[in-house]
Coordinates of all heavy atoms in Angstrom, one line a residue:
A1 N -8.0 5.5 -7.8 CA -8.1 7.0 -8.1 C -9.5 7.4 -8.4 O -10.3 6.6 -8.8 CB -7.2 7.3 -9.3
D2 N -9.8 8.7 -8.2 CA -11.2 9.1 -8.4 C -11.3 9.9 -9.6 O -12.4 10.5 -9.9 CB -11.6 10.0 -7.2 CG -10.7 11.2 -7.0 OD1 -9.9 11.5 -7.9 OD2 -10.9 11.9 -6.0
G3 N -10.3 10.0 -10.4 CA -10.4 10.7 -11.7 C -10.0 12.1 -11.7 O -10.0 12.8 -12.7
T4 N -9.6 12.6 -10.5 CA -9.1 14.0 -10.4 C -7.9 14.2 -11.1 O -7.7 15.2 -11.8 CB -8.9 14.3 -8.9 OG1 -10.1 14.1 -8.2 CG2 -8.5 15.8 -8.7
F5 N -7.0 13.2 -11.1 CA -5.7 13.4 -11.7 C -5.6 12.4 -12.9 O -6.3 11.4 -13.0 CB -4.5 13.0 -10.8 CG -4.6 13.7 -9.5 CD1 -4.6 13.0 -8.3 CD2 -4.6 15.1 -9.4 CE1 -4.6 13.7 -7.1 CE2 -4.6 15.8 -8.2 CZ -4.7 15.1 -7.0
L6 N -4.8 12.8 -13.9 CA -4.6 12.0 -15.1 C -3.8 10.7 -14.8 O -4.0 9.7 -15.5 CB -3.9 12.8 -16.2 CG -4.7 14.0 -16.7 CD1 -3.9 14.8 -17.7 CD2 -6.0 13.5 -17.4
N7 N -3.0 10.7 -13.8 CA -2.2 9.5 -13.4 C -2.6 9.0 -12.0 O -2.9 9.9 -11.2 CB -0.7 9.8 -13.6 CG -0.3 11.0 -12.8 OD1 -0.9 12.0 -12.8 ND2 0.8 10.8 -12.0
S8 N -2.5 7.8 -11.8 CA -2.8 7.2 -10.4 C -1.6 6.8 -9.6 O -1.7 6.4 -8.5 CB -3.8 6.1 -10.6 OG -3.2 5.0 -11.3
E9 N -0.4 6.9 -10.3 CA 0.8 6.6 -9.5 C 1.8 7.7 -9.8 O 1.8 8.4 -10.8 CB 1.4 5.2 -9.8 CG 1.9 5.1 -11.3 CD 2.4 3.7 -11.5 OE1 2.1 2.8 -10.8 OE2 3.3 3.6 -12.5
C10 N 2.8 7.8 -8.8 CA 3.8 8.9 -8.9 C 4.8 8.5 -10.0 O 5.4 7.4 -9.9 CB 4.4 9.0 -7.6 SG 5.8 10.2 -7.5
P11 N 5.1 9.3 -10.9 CA 6.1 9.0 -12.0 C 7.5 9.0 -11.5 O 8.4 8.5 -12.2 CB 5.9 10.0 -13.0 CG 5.3 11.2 -12.3 CD 4.5 10.6 -11.2
I12 N 7.7 9.5 -10.3 CA 9.1 9.6 -9.8 C 9.4 8.3 -9.0 O 10.4 7.7 -9.3 CB 9.3 10.9 -8.9 CG1 8.8 12.1 -9.6 CG2 10.7 11.0 -8.4 CD1 9.6 12.4 -10.8
C13 N 8.6 8.0 -8.0 CA 8.9 6.8 -7.2 C 8.1 5.6 -7.6 O 8.3 4.5 -7.1 CB 8.7 7.2 -5.7 SG 7.0 7.5 -5.3
L14 N 7.2 5.8 -8.5 CA 6.3 4.7 -9.1 C 5.4 4.0 -8.0 O 5.0 2.9 -8.2 CB 7.2 3.7 -9.8 CG 8.2 4.2 -10.9 CD1 9.0 3.1 -11.5 CD2 7.4 4.9 -11.9
E15 N 5.1 4.8 -7.0 CA 4.2 4.2 -6.0 C 2.8 4.8 -6.2 O 2.7 6.0 -6.6 CB 4.7 4.5 -4.6 CG 5.9 3.7 -4.2 CD 6.4 3.9 -2.8 OE1 5.6 4.5 -2.0 OE2 7.5 3.6 -2.5
D16 N 1.8 4.1 -5.9 CA 0.4 4.6 -6.0 C 0.2 5.7 -5.0 O 0.8 5.8 -3.9 CB -0.6 3.5 -5.6 CG -0.7 2.4 -6.7 OD1 -0.2 2.7 -7.9 OD2 -1.2 1.4 -6.5
F17 N -0.7 6.6 -5.3 CA -1.1 7.7 -4.4 C -2.1 7.1 -3.4 O -3.1 6.6 -3.7 CB -1.8 8.8 -5.2 CG -0.9 9.5 -6.2 CD1 -1.4 9.7 -7.5 CD2 0.4 9.9 -5.9 CE1 -0.5 10.3 -8.4 CE2 1.2 10.5 -6.8 CZ 0.7 10.7 -8.1
L18 N -1.7 7.2 -2.1 CA -2.5 6.7 -1.0 C -3.1 7.9 -0.2 O -4.3 7.8 0.1 CB -1.7 5.8 -0.1 CG -1.1 4.6 -0.8 CD1 -0.2 3.8 0.1 CD2 -2.2 3.7 -1.3
L19 N -2.3 8.9 0.1 CA -2.8 10.0 0.9 C -2.9 11.2 0.0 O -1.8 11.7 -0.4 CB -1.9 10.2 2.1 CG -1.8 9.0 3.1 CD1 -0.7 9.2 4.1 CD2 -3.2 8.9 3.8
K20 N -4.1 11.8 -0.2 CA -4.2 12.9 -1.0 C -3.5 14.1 -0.5 O -3.0 15.0 -1.2 CB -5.7 13.3 -1.2 CG -6.4 12.5 -2.2 CD -7.8 13.0 -2.3 CE -8.6 12.3 -3.4 NZ -8.2 12.8 -4.7
S21 N -3.3 14.2 0.8 CA -2.7 15.4 1.4 C -1.2 15.5 1.0 O -0.6 16.6 1.2 CB -2.8 15.4 2.9 OG -2.3 14.2 3.5
F22 N -0.6 14.4 0.5 CA 0.8 14.5 0.2 C 1.0 14.5 -1.3 O 2.1 14.2 -1.8 CB 1.5 13.3 0.8 CG 1.5 13.3 2.3 CD1 0.9 12.3 3.0 CD2 2.1 14.3 3.0 CE1 0.9 12.3 4.4 CE2 2.1 14.4 4.4 CZ 1.5 13.3 5.1
I23 N -0.1 14.8 -2.0 CA 0.0 14.9 -3.5 C 0.1 16.3 -4.0 O -0.7 17.2 -3.5 CB -1.2 14.2 -4.1 CG1 -1.3 12.7 -3.7 CG2 -1.1 14.3 -5.7 CD1 -2.5 12.0 -4.1
Y24 N 1.0 16.6 -4.9 CA 1.1 17.9 -5.5 C 0.5 17.8 -6.9 O 0.9 16.9 -7.7 CB 2.6 18.3 -5.6 CG 2.8 19.6 -6.4 CD1 2.5 20.8 -5.8 CD2 3.2 19.5 -7.7 CE1 2.6 22.0 -6.5 CE2 3.3 20.7 -8.5 CZ 3.0 21.9 -7.8 OH 3.2 23.1 -8.6
E25 N -0.5 18.6 -7.2 CA -1.2 18.6 -8.5 C -0.5 19.6 -9.4 O -0.5 20.8 -9.1 CB -2.7 18.9 -8.4 CG -3.3 18.8 -9.7 CD -4.9 19.1 -9.6 OE1 -5.4 19.4 -8.6 OE2 -5.5 19.0 -10.7
I26 N 0.0 19.1 -10.5 CA 0.6 20.0 -11.5 C -0.5 20.6 -12.4 O -1.5 20.0 -12.6 CB 1.6 19.1 -12.4 CG1 2.6 18.4 -11.5 CG2 2.4 20.0 -13.4 CD1 3.4 17.4 -12.2
P27 N -0.3 21.8 -12.9 CA -1.3 22.5 -13.6 C -1.8 21.7 -14.8 O -3.0 21.9 -15.3 CB -0.7 23.8 -14.1 CG 0.3 24.1 -13.0 CD 0.8 22.8 -12.6
C28 N -1.0 20.8 -15.4 CA -1.5 20.0 -16.5 C -2.3 18.8 -16.0 O -2.7 18.0 -16.8 CB -0.2 19.4 -17.2 SG 0.8 18.4 -16.1
R29 N -2.7 18.7 -14.7 CA -3.5 17.7 -14.1 C -2.8 16.4 -13.9 O -3.5 15.4 -13.6 CB -4.8 17.5 -14.9 CG -5.7 18.8 -14.9 CD -7.1 18.5 -15.4 NE -7.8 17.5 -14.6 CZ -8.6 16.6 -15.1 NH1 -8.9 16.5 -16.4 NH2 -9.2 15.7 -14.3
H30 N -1.5 16.4 -14.1 CA -0.8 15.3 -13.6 C -0.5 15.5 -12.1 O -0.6 16.6 -11.6 CB 0.5 15.1 -14.4 CG 0.3 14.5 -15.7 ND1 0.7 15.1 -16.9 CD2 -0.3 13.3 -16.1 CE1 0.3 14.3 -17.9 NE2 -0.3 13.2 -17.5
A31 N -0.1 14.4 -11.4 CA 0.1 14.6 -10.0 C 1.4 13.8 -9.6 O 1.7 12.8 -10.2 CB -1.1 14.1 -9.2
I32 N 2.1 14.3 -8.6 CA 3.2 13.6 -8.0 C 3.2 13.9 -6.5 O 2.6 14.8 -6.1 CB 4.6 14.0 -8.7 CG1 4.9 15.5 -8.5 CG2 4.6 13.7 -10.2 CD1 6.2 15.9 -9.1
H33 N 3.9 13.1 -5.8 CA 4.1 13.3 -4.3 C 4.7 14.6 -4.1 O 5.6 15.1 -4.8 CB 4.9 12.2 -3.7 CG 4.3 10.8 -3.7 ND1 4.9 9.8 -4.3 CD2 3.1 10.4 -3.2 CE1 4.1 8.7 -4.2 NE2 3.0 9.0 -3.6
V34 N 4.3 15.3 -3.0 CA 4.9 16.5 -2.6 C 6.4 16.4 -2.4 O 7.2 17.2 -2.9 CB 4.3 17.1 -1.3 CG1 5.0 18.3 -0.8 CG2 2.8 17.5 -1.6
N35 N 6.8 15.3 -1.7 CA 8.3 15.1 -1.5 C 9.0 14.9 -2.8 O 10.1 15.4 -3.0 CB 8.5 13.9 -0.6 CG 8.1 14.2 0.8 OD1 8.0 15.4 1.2 ND2 8.0 13.2 1.6
C36 N 8.4 14.1 -3.7 CA 9.0 13.9 -5.0 C 9.1 15.1 -5.9 O 10.0 15.4 -6.6 CB 8.3 12.8 -5.8 SG 8.3 11.2 -4.9
A37 N 8.0 15.9 -5.8 CA 8.0 17.2 -6.5 C 9.1 18.1 -6.1 O 9.7 18.8 -6.9 CB 6.6 17.9 -6.3
T38 N 9.3 18.2 -4.8 CA 10.4 19.1 -4.3 C 11.7 18.8 -4.9 O 12.4 19.6 -5.3 CB 10.4 19.0 -2.8 OG1 9.1 19.3 -2.2 CG2 11.5 20.0 -2.2
K39 N 12.0 17.5 -4.9 CA 13.3 17.0 -5.5 C 13.3 17.2 -7.0 O 14.3 17.7 -7.5 CB 13.5 15.5 -5.2 CG 13.8 15.2 -3.7 CD 14.1 13.8 -3.5 CE 13.0 13.1 -2.6 NZ 13.1 11.7 -2.6
W40 N 12.2 16.8 -7.6 CA 12.2 16.9 -9.1 C 12.3 18.3 -9.6 O 13.1 18.6 -10.5 CB 10.9 16.2 -9.6 CG 10.7 16.3 -11.1 CD1 10.0 17.2 -11.8 CD2 11.3 15.5 -12.1 NE1 10.1 17.0 -13.1 CE2 10.9 16.0 -13.3 CE3 12.2 14.4 -12.0 CZ2 11.3 15.4 -14.5 CZ3 12.6 13.8 -13.2 CH2 12.1 14.3 -14.4
F41 N 11.5 19.2 -9.1 CA 11.4 20.6 -9.6 C 12.7 21.4 -9.3 O 12.9 22.4 -9.9 CB 10.2 21.3 -9.1 CG 8.9 20.7 -9.7 CD1 7.9 20.4 -9.0 CD2 8.8 20.5 -11.1 CE1 6.7 19.8 -9.5 CE2 7.7 20.0 -11.7 CZ 6.6 19.6 -10.9
K42 N 13.5 20.9 -8.4 CA 14.9 21.5 -8.2 C 15.7 21.2 -9.4 O 16.6 22.0 -9.7 CB 15.5 21.0 -6.9 CG 15.1 21.7 -5.7 CD 15.9 21.1 -4.5 CE 15.4 21.7 -3.2 NZ 15.9 20.9 -2.0
L43 N 15.5 20.1 -10.0 CA 16.3 19.7 -11.2 C 15.8 20.1 -12.5 O 16.5 20.5 -13.4 CB 16.5 18.1 -11.2 CG 17.1 17.5 -9.9 CD1 17.1 16.0 -10.0 CD2 18.6 18.0 -9.7
R44 N 14.4 19.9 -12.6 CA 13.8 20.1 -13.9 C 12.5 21.0 -13.7 O 11.8 20.8 -12.7 CB 13.3 18.8 -14.5 CG 14.4 17.8 -14.7 CD 15.2 17.9 -15.9 NE 14.4 18.1 -17.1 CZ 14.0 17.1 -17.9 NH1 14.2 15.9 -17.6 NH2 13.3 17.4 -19.0
G45 N 12.3 22.0 -14.6 CA 11.1 22.8 -14.4 C 10.0 22.4 -15.3 O 9.2 23.2 -15.7
V46 N 9.9 21.1 -15.5 CA 8.8 20.5 -16.3 C 8.1 19.4 -15.6 O 8.6 18.7 -14.7 CB 9.4 20.0 -17.7 CG1 10.0 21.1 -18.5 CG2 10.3 18.9 -17.5
C47 N 6.8 19.1 -16.1 CA 6.1 17.9 -15.6 C 6.9 16.7 -16.0 O 7.3 16.5 -17.2 CB 4.7 17.9 -16.2 SG 3.8 16.4 -15.9
P48 N 7.1 15.7 -15.1 CA 7.9 14.5 -15.4 C 7.1 13.6 -16.4 O 7.7 12.7 -17.0 CB 8.1 13.8 -14.1 CG 7.0 14.4 -13.2 CD 6.8 15.8 -13.7
L49 N 5.8 13.8 -16.6 CA 5.0 12.9 -17.4 C 4.8 13.5 -18.8 O 5.1 12.8 -19.8 CB 3.6 12.6 -16.8 CG 3.7 11.6 -15.7 CD1 2.3 11.6 -14.9 CD2 3.9 10.2 -16.2
C50 N 4.4 14.7 -18.9 CA 4.1 15.2 -20.3 C 5.1 16.3 -20.7 O 5.1 16.8 -21.8 CB 2.7 15.8 -20.3 SG 2.4 17.2 -19.2
V51 N 6.1 16.6 -19.8 CA 7.2 17.5 -20.1 C 6.7 18.9 -20.5 O 7.4 19.6 -21.3 CB 8.1 16.8 -21.2 CG1 9.5 17.5 -21.2 CG2 8.3 15.3 -21.0
Q52 N 5.6 19.3 -20.0 CA 5.2 20.7 -20.2 C 5.9 21.5 -19.1 O 6.1 21.0 -18.0 CB 3.7 20.8 -20.0 CG 2.8 20.4 -21.1 CD 1.3 20.7 -20.9 OE1 1.0 21.8 -20.4 NE2 0.5 19.7 -21.1
S53 N 6.2 22.7 -19.4 CA 6.9 23.5 -18.4 C 5.8 23.8 -17.3 O 4.6 24.0 -17.6 CB 7.4 24.8 -19.0 OG 6.4 25.6 -19.6
V54 N 6.3 23.9 -16.1 CA 5.4 24.1 -15.0 C 5.4 25.6 -14.5 O 6.5 26.1 -14.3 CB 5.8 23.2 -13.8 CG1 4.9 23.4 -12.6 CG2 5.7 21.7 -14.3
Ligands
ZN1 ZN1 6.5 9.8 -5.4
ZN2 ZN1 1.9 16.7 -17.1

């Protein structure tokens, strides 16, 4: 990771971020995969790491 995001792996699928183009950056500076974000935010309106509302 280059320090852009607070976390270096996706909290949903627990895989490292490899391709930046598929990463969704949450306003709290946490990041998750775009595909994981789509599924997650349909269920919960919060960041999966810090549980701040998005
Ligand atoms: Zn993921
Ligand atoms: Zn967060």
